[in-house]
């Protein structure tokens, strides 16, 4: 559950747009001793997301391990949360009214949302929306490749783990208030945004994904916590950790972690790896509501 929001504001809990002939992007990062096959993940999905790209699947038989953000089989009990950190204590009254309206729309308990920290409230909202759209965590890319690895006895490695992700979310500025307010303020546009994002992901269009990621209204500090700092940490792990010094590894993490000059492929290139995209992209035939709003057009 924690993983489902660990992309940029969780907006990759998305609708699948069918009919594209290109594939989600896959990168190959290699040096003399090892190679990493990297693919961005969608954390919830449907059967329409599959099969996965040939450029990813063809490396599976020779892989020495699957690397995920977290081993989702490990159990973790969330500790008690201080009442001072509850959403009802931190969210302004006007936003609480919006939250109550969304709770009624999504058939969620407003009491539960208000008695959770803002980051967890945002997660509940995003997950409820994805379920209403017919998307489930068991069809997310992470879960599907995890299950396949278990079935075929492929070693599974984690970059941080569920407990570390909990600590990350708990340490967000104001306990994730900016994350929740972004979700509430952009809610009318999120479904359109989701559709465009998935179209771009499915078609492997890095430029569109990068542009959309830059238009999400998270604070710089929140973005650093959720995205940038983790990218640097993961690139360092892949470069220096003993278990990754030789062989072929499949790397599946949230799709926004692959984007831009501080994305994982770019950071590995800076570490001395040869990095290339190994499948093709097509122009994504969409523009998000947020993008239109940013450019001065009506959504």
């Amino acid at each position: 559950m924690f993983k489902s929001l660990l992309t940029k504001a969780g907006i990759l809990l998305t609708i699948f747009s069918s009919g594209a002939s290109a594939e989600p992007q896959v990168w190959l990062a290699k040096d003399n001793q090892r190679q990493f096959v990297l693919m961005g993940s969608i954390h919830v999905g449907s059967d329409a997301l599959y099969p996965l790209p040939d450029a990813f699947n063809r490396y599976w038989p020779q892989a020495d391990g699957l690397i995920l953000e977290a081993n989702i089989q490990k159990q973790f009990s969330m500790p008690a949360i201080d009442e001072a950190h509850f959403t009802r204590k931190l969210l302004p009254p006007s936003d609480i009214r919006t939250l109550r309206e969304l709770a009624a729309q999504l058939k969620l308990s407003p009491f539960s949302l208000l008695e959770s920290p803002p980051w967890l409230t945002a997660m509940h909202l995003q997950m409820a929306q994805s379920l209403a759209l017919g998307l489930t965590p068991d069809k997310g890319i992470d879960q599907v490749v995890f299950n396949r690895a278990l079935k075929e006895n492929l070693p599974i490695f984690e970059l941080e783990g569920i407990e570390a992700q909990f600590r990350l979310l708990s340490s967000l500025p104001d306990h994730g208030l900016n994350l929740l307010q972004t979700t509430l303020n952009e809610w009318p546009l999120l479904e359109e945004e989701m559709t465009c994002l998935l179209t771009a992901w499915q078609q492997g269009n890095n430029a569109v994904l990068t542009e959309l990621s830059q238009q999400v209204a998270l604070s710089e500090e929140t973005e650093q916590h959720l995205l940038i700092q983790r990218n640097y940490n993961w690139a360092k792990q892949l470069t220096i950790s003993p278990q990754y010094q030789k062989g072929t590894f499949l790397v599946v993490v949230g799709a926004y972690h692959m984007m831009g000059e501080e994305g994982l492929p770019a950071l590995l290139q800076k570490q001395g790896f040869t990095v290339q995209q190994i499948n093709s992209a097509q122009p994504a035939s969409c523009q998000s509501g947020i993008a239109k709003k940013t450019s001065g057009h009506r959504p």
Side-chain angles (χ1 to χ4, degrees):
M1 183 178 180
F2 296 115
K3 292 192 308 84
S4 65
L5 207 63
L6 292 180
T7 56
K8 205 163 184 188
I11 56 178
L12 283 181
L13 303 182
T14 50
I15 303 170
F16 183 74
S17 175
S18 60
S21 58
E23 296 180 318
Q25 277 190 299
V26 180
W27 291 264
L28 180 64
K30 62 181 181 178
D31 61 13
N32 292 332
Q33 297 292 324
R34 59 219 161 133
Q35 56 185 5
F36 298 107
V37 182
L38 303 110
M39 182 176 66
S41 171
I42 305 298
H43 295 313
V44 296
S46 68
D47 288 333
L49 283 173
Y50 304 95
L52 293 176
D54 290 340
F56 180 82
N57 283 330
R58 70 170 176 260
Y59 283 93
W60 191 284
Q62 69 189 77
D64 296 292
L66 171 66
I67 304 173
L68 301 171
E69 295 179 28
N71 183 333
I72 53 184
Q73 193 176 47
K74 292 183 178 180
Q75 298 298 313
F76 172 68
S77 297
M78 190 171 68
I81 298 170
D82 192 320
E83 182 179 349
H85 304 161
F86 286 173
T87 293
R88 63 177 169 81
K89 295 281 189 177
L90 299 172
L91 197 64
S94 60
D95 287 335
I96 288 180
R97 287 194 294 272
T98 301
L99 178 60
R100 289 184 179 277
E101 291 170 3
L102 279 179
Q105 175 185 326
L106 297 168
K107 296 181 172 56
L108 295 175
S109 164
F111 176 81
S112 296
L113 295 175
L114 291 168
E115 297 295 303
S116 299
W119 62 264
L120 187 54
T121 301
M123 288 179 66
H124 285 314
L125 292 172
Q126 293 279 337
M127 184 57 70
Q129 185 182 60
S130 70
L131 293 173
L133 295 168
L135 305 171
T136 59
D138 65 300
K139 296 296 183 180
I141 304 297
D142 316 68
Q143 185 70 61
V144 168
V145 296
F146 177 83
N147 290 341
R148 181 179 175 185
L150 281 182
K151 182 178 179 180
E152 299 181 14
N153 296 314
L154 181 66
I156 298 170
F157 303 95
E158 60 181 2
L159 291 166
E160 53 194 17
I162 297 292
E163 186 173 352
Q165 291 183 340
F166 168 77
R167 290 197 302 269
L168 168 77
L169 288 163
S170 298
S171 68
L172 284 172
D174 292 324
H175 310 283
L177 184 61
N178 174 250
L179 193 61
L180 176 57
Q181 289 183 302
T182 296
T183 301
L184 294 173
N185 293 338
E186 301 292 358
W187 191 267
L189 301 174
L190 276 181
E191 185 168 330
E192 184 179 355
E193 179 77 2
M194 289 175 177
T195 305
C196 186
L197 283 164
L198 222 315
T199 301
W201 179 84
Q202 183 191 8
Q203 296 177 343
N205 196 298
N206 183 49
V208 171
L209 284 171
T210 300
E211 180 183 355
L212 292 174
S213 74
Q214 293 169 348
Q215 292 163 347
V216 179
L218 292 179
S219 70
E220 183 176 349
E221 190 174 5
T222 298
E223 182 172 330
Q224 283 289 327
H225 272 75
L226 285 179
L227 195 67
I228 305 301
Q229 292 176 7
R230 297 167 73 211
N231 289 350
Y232 278 94
N233 181 45
W234 296 349
K236 182 178 179 180
Q237 286 188 55
L238 294 176
T239 302
I240 68 174
S241 295
Q243 66 263 40
Y244 307 138
Q245 292 304 302
K246 185 176 181 180
T248 297
F249 300 91
L250 307 170
V251 182
V252 179
V253 298
Y256 272 140
H257 292 285
M258 301 292 179
M259 302 297 106
E261 294 182 359
E262 292 181 296
L264 197 51
L267 293 179
L268 287 174
Q269 190 169 36
K270 292 175 184 177
Q271 293 289 337
F273 288 86
T274 299
V275 179
Q276 65 181 112
Q277 183 184 338
I278 56 175
N279 60 351
S280 61
Q282 286 186 347
S285 55
C286 67
Q287 185 181 20
S288 73
I290 292 175
K292 292 174 186 174
K293 188 176 73 172
T294 303
S295 63
H297 296 99
R298 292 181 179 272

